[in-house]
């Protein structure tokens, strides 16, 4: 698969390998983005892996399982996780553990017979007072080394009402594409991982 796939959001197409930052405001806007994105993937027969920040959101999204193209035929098509078992497993965040989580799950999906994956992460877990959350931006940059090697699209969701301007600026620098108010922008402020991480460490 090389051409754009339907994102399920405002008729936007995403090219395989895309790593998109989606800015939103409030729970309703977040749910609209996630529901559209995941529903399009389930209809297409994609493996969908989503991490959300609350049990309530997880239960709401689990209801989408009824839209799976062939429920149960290839293993579980929709996986919903919470930060405690992913980003913050063991009570802290580490970039290497999270990159391993994604690569292992994408490899598992391929073994199960899926030809394409959709990943989504609600990033408000990073606002918690937990060890390692300060490495959020470095993680987002490193993820750009992973996504081009897989048949995947990745959506990272950031609530503009909750994240500081400083974090938002750095989030923009680490995503090749930005989705805001229904418009997908090829990001002119994106910085490749080698250059971004070098400047960050300096």
């Amino acid at each position: 698969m090389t051409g754009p796939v339907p994102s399920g959001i405002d008729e936007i197409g995403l090219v395989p390998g895309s790593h998109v930052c989606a800015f939103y405001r409030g729970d309703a806007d977040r749910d609209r983005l996630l529901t559209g994105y995941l529903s399009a993937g389930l209809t297409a027969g994609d493996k969908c892996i989503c991490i959300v920040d609350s049990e309530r959101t997880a239960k709401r999204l689990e209801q989408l399982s009824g839209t799976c193209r062939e429920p149960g035929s290839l293993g579980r098509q929709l996986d919903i996780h919470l930060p405690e078992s992913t980003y913050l497993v063991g009570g802290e965040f580490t970039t290497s553990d999270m990159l391993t989580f994604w690569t292992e799950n994408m490899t598992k999906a391929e073994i199960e017979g899926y030809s394409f994956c959709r990943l989504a992460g609600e990033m408000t877990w990073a606002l918690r007072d937990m060890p390692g959350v300060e490495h959020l931006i470095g993680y987002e940059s490193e993820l750009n080394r992973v996504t081009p090697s897989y048949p995947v699209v990745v959506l990272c969701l950031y609530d503009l009402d909750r994240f500081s301007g400083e974090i938002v600026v750095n989030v923009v620098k680490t995503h090749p594409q930005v989705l805001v108010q229904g418009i997908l922008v090829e990001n002119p402020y994106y910085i490749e991982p080698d250059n971004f991480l070098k400047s960050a460490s300096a």
Side-chain angles (χ1 to χ4, degrees):
M1 186 182 296
T2 56
V5 299
S7 70
I9 302 168
D10 301 311
E11 300 183 2
I12 290 168
L14 297 176
V15 175
S18 294
H19 178 205
V20 181
C21 171
F23 290 118
Y24 67 95
R25 292 188 184 276
D27 292 354
D29 197 16
R30 174 204 62 207
D31 290 350
R32 180 184 72 85
L33 294 172
L34 279 175
T35 300
Y37 178 75
L38 295 174
S39 293
L42 294 174
T43 299
D46 302 337
K47 176 71 174 187
C48 297
I49 306 169
C50 181
I51 306 173
V52 293
D53 208 24
S54 74
E55 285 275 6
R56 181 181 302 176
T57 306
K59 289 178 180 177
R60 193 154 51 238
L61 292 176
E62 284 283 2
Q63 297 173 4
L64 295 174
S65 294
T67 67
C68 293
R69 190 171 67 178
E70 297 179 22
S73 63
L74 299 171
R76 187 175 171 84
Q77 190 181 353
L78 173 63
D79 288 341
I80 306 292
H81 300 273
L82 295 173
E84 289 77 12
S85 62
T86 52
Y87 293 116
L88 299 174
V89 66
E92 64 178 335
F93 174 74
T94 67
T95 295
S96 59
D97 285 353
M98 200 57 215
L99 295 178
T100 297
F101 170 84
W102 288 127
T103 54
E104 286 182 348
N105 275 272
M106 287 187 287
T107 300
K108 179 184 176 185
E110 184 178 2
I111 293 170
E112 291 175 345
Y114 292 99
S115 60
F116 199 78
C117 291
R118 289 180 187 239
L119 314 182
E122 179 187 3
M123 308 307 288
T124 43
W125 59 268
L127 297 171
R128 302 184 194 184
D129 184 17
M130 300 283 281
V133 296
E134 68 274 13
H135 300 303
L136 166 68
I137 302 302
Y139 155 75
E140 289 281 29
S141 186
E142 291 284 5
L143 191 55
N144 292 303
R145 303 187 198 274
V146 176
T147 53
S149 302
Y150 291 87
V152 64
V153 288
V154 183
L155 193 68
C156 301
L157 294 100
Y158 286 86
D159 190 339
L160 288 172
D161 291 334
R162 299 186 63 184
F163 283 91
S164 69
E166 179 183 359
I167 291 179
V168 167
V169 167
N170 282 316
V171 164
V172 168
K173 291 178 181 178
T174 56
H175 288 79
Q177 294 176 306
V178 176
L179 176 63
V180 59
Q181 294 184 332
I183 300 172
L184 183 68
V185 179
E186 293 293 334
N187 182 11
Y189 303 105
Y190 170 65
I191 302 174
E192 295 282 350
D194 286 346
N195 293 331
F196 179 83
L197 294 168
K198 185 186 300 181
S199 65
S201 62

